[in-house]
Amino acid sequence: MAKKATAKKVSAVAVLVTAMADFAALSSDERCTRFAEKAQVNRVSFSEMGKLHYLISEDIAAWNAANPKKKQRTIYDELRKRGVADKSISNASYASRAWRALVVEGHISEAQFDSLTFQDCFAIARSMSQRAALQLDGASVAELITKQPDDFDFELASLYEHGVTVAEKKAQDEKAEADRIKALVDAQNASKNKPEPTPSAPTPAEATKPAPVVAPPPAAEAENEPPSAETEVDETTEPQANGASTEPDEPATGETEEESHEPPSNVTTMPQAEANPDANLEAMLDVLSEIAAESEAFTAEGQTTLLAKLDEVRAAVAARLESAAAA
């Protein structure tokens, strides 16, 4: 009888972890030194795991190609059997892809690769993906790494999200904000300079129409006496066809209504509305509040320039107040 083959069991690699009590026994300076050592070890470990991930993936790809009829192997299956968490395999895959796209293709050196962190490799992978606003190739990424080794990851993130560099995005944002503030100020100025509505002038017919004459009331002491013939007015009298009235004539004043500079008595002159000089004060205070809030992101040079302009405005307002007080 043939002996049944048994699968080889692979055990996880045991790693000792330093206890908290051991760290507590160290001095403050020793703890900082130990942290720096661990950080260096972790950075080196990430680079090494990326290289190993690349080689293991190449080995598995070659085996799968040589054994097309067998169950295809994956790097996750191989490393899970050794107790490696999926998250660790996934993180190492970003370094593996950076090695394949940059080092294997000859765009950067191995020493440059060894300085990459997980965040760097993650930014590299995103900038070379089809989801990027501006998709880069290996040569473009390598150029950024070489020219800006300290902050190329910020450039890659900006290119991925906006399709422009950090400086270009900042210029776009500053222009958009300046345009917004200018539009707001222009709208406030247009509202302030808008002329007040004026009352419409009376028509010629209204201006030349004679005012009706009303007889004065009788004196109080003569309340019970009948009105005299000189003051009695026939309320039923109609105007004549030519516009004349049968009522007594008004005393002559030496000038006609057309020649007089006084408005006709039957036309009411509308009072002119007085413009409120502080009508736009609240809106301008809002503008200053927005400028103060937006300027928090300015550079020191930009904030100094803004402060000089605000001092200039303050001096002008103070001068006007002093002149008004002196008057």
Side-chain angles (χ1 to χ4, degrees):
M1 178 181 289
K3 186 176 180 181
K4 185 177 181 181
T6 58
K8 182 179 179 181
K9 184 177 181 180
V10 181
S11 60
V13 179
V15 179
L16 297 178
V17 179
T18 304
M20 186 62 168
D22 295 336
F23 289 142
L26 299 176
S27 66
S28 178
D29 185 66
E30 289 173 335
R31 292 168 189 165
C32 293
T33 300
R34 186 66 64 87
F35 187 95
E37 292 174 351
K38 294 296 182 182
Q40 183 69 8
V41 169
N42 288 340
R43 189 189 64 78
V44 172
S45 297
F46 178 72
S47 298
E48 293 176 342
M49 291 172 65
K51 296 174 185 178
L52 288 169
H53 188 289
Y54 170 76
L55 293 175
I56 295 171
S57 298
E58 290 292 302
D59 292 340
I60 293 175
W63 188 93
N64 289 339
N67 301 275
K69 296 183 179 181
K70 293 185 178 181
K71 181 182 178 180
Q72 299 292 284
R73 296 162 56 194
T74 68
I75 191 171
Y76 283 90
D77 293 336
E78 297 298 321
L79 295 179
R80 282 169 183 163
K81 292 186 296 185
R82 292 165 173 82
V84 181
D86 288 357
K87 185 176 181 180
S88 297
I89 303 172
S90 176
N91 289 346
S93 69
Y94 288 100
S96 176
R97 279 185 273 177
W99 176 274
R100 184 187 303 276
L102 302 178
V103 181
V104 173
E105 297 297 328
H107 297 307
I108 65 173
S109 65
E110 183 172 358
Q112 288 177 296
F113 172 82
D114 290 340
S115 66
L116 301 178
T117 64
F118 170 76
Q119 287 77 9
D120 295 336
C121 294
F122 180 74
I124 291 171
R126 290 207 309 168
S127 68
M128 299 179 69
S129 70
Q130 295 181 348
R131 296 189 300 273
L134 178 63
Q135 186 177 7
L136 303 180
D137 56 15
S140 300
V141 172
E143 182 179 358
L144 278 175
I145 293 175
T146 302
K147 290 183 177 180
Q148 300 175 231
D150 296 329
D151 59 357
F152 71 88
D153 53 335
F154 293 103
E155 295 288 354
L156 293 178
S158 179
L159 291 168
Y160 171 81
E161 295 176 3
H162 310 294
V164 294
T165 64
V166 173
E168 292 170 339
K169 183 63 170 65
K170 181 180 178 182
Q172 290 178 357
D173 292 344
E174 290 177 351
K175 183 180 183 303
E177 180 62 16
D179 291 344
R180 186 184 70 84
I181 294 178
K182 182 178 182 301
L184 180 61
V185 173
D186 290 345
Q188 296 298 330
N189 290 337
S191 175
K192 182 178 180 180
N193 297 330
K194 185 177 181 180
E196 294 290 338
T198 56
S200 59
T203 62
E206 293 176 338
T208 58
K209 183 178 180 180
V213 178
V214 180
E221 58 272 13
E223 185 175 355
N224 297 323
E225 296 181 2
S228 62
E230 297 179 352
T231 61
E232 183 176 2
V233 178
D234 186 2
E235 295 179 354
T236 63
T237 303
E238 296 292 333
Q240 296 180 1
N242 60 359
S245 173
T246 59
E247 297 172 347
D249 295 335
E250 292 290 326
T253 59
E255 61 179 4
T256 64
E257 278 190 354
E258 289 78 4
E259 296 173 341
S260 174
H261 294 288
E262 295 296 326
S265 59
N266 65 331
V267 178
T268 303
T269 302
M270 298 296 294
Q272 294 289 336
E274 297 184 359
N276 181 10
D278 295 333
N280 295 318
L281 176 60
E282 183 176 355
M284 297 310 295
L285 292 177
D286 291 340
V287 172
L288 291 176
S289 299
E290 291 186 9
I291 293 175
E294 294 293 340
S295 64
E296 292 183 0
F298 288 4
T299 62
E301 181 180 359
Q303 296 197 42
T304 301
T305 303
L306 177 61
L307 182 61
K309 185 62 179 179
L310 292 176
D311 287 341
E312 179 183 338
V313 174
R314 186 201 62 77
V317 174
R320 288 197 295 268
L321 290 176
E322 291 177 1
S323 299

